[in-house]
Amino acid sequence: MIDQVLPSALTEWFAAQSEDPQGAAIPVLLDVREPWEWAQASVQPAGFELLTISMGQVREQLAQLSPDRPIACLCHHGVRSQRVAQFLVQQGFERVANVTGGIEAWSAEHDASIPRY
């Protein structure tokens, strides 16, 4: 089962997934939207690495992701990111979450400076 995490709870989810108390395994927010969407609105990394790989490119760019790091997937509303999260689990990734509501929820409940589209 894939964890469903609200944007406001993402920091806590990342902390709960950390196996390395020294923080060497920096968590990843994987934004699977399209390049034009990244140009419209983007999250600023804070305590995590932001990777932008559109959903259609995840399979080809899977080597960029480490199963040793917690990964939370983000899209516009949460549908595409859920599909990518499921794919990652099928590939053996264990610490995977879907950001519920996507960047739309991120803007509405966590950072109103992010434009909504």
Side-chain angles (χ1 to χ4, degrees):
M1 185 165 183
I2 296 166
D3 290 340
Q4 302 297 313
V5 180
L6 292 170
S8 59
L10 187 59
T11 299
E12 292 84 19
W13 184 84
F14 279 146
Q17 300 305 308
S18 177
E19 292 180 354
D20 180 2
Q22 302 302 317
I26 298 169
V28 173
L29 180 64
L30 177 60
D31 190 333
V32 301
R33 296 175 301 139
E34 295 298 318
W36 70 266
E37 292 177 286
W38 303 327
Q40 291 277 54
S42 189
V43 171
Q44 296 301 312
F48 57 84
E49 179 181 357
L50 176 65
L51 286 178
T52 54
I53 304 173
S54 61
M55 184 174 130
Q57 297 298 310
V58 170
R59 182 178 301 273
E60 288 119 16
Q61 296 186 33
L62 189 60
Q64 288 189 43
L65 303 172
S66 170
D68 297 331
R69 297 169 71 184
I71 300 174
C73 301
L74 175 78
C75 68
H76 190 194
H77 292 289
V79 177
R80 288 176 284 176
S81 54
Q82 175 67 28
R83 290 173 58 189
V84 170
Q86 183 63 46
F87 171 75
L88 293 176
V89 168
Q90 291 169 349
Q91 302 308 305
F93 289 73
E94 295 179 2
R95 296 181 294 159
V96 178
N98 181 46
V99 178
T100 305
I103 199 161
E104 182 75 14
W106 195 291
S107 176
E109 73 174 55
H110 190 62
D111 184 355
S113 71
I114 295 175
R116 296 170 81 179
Y117 64 98

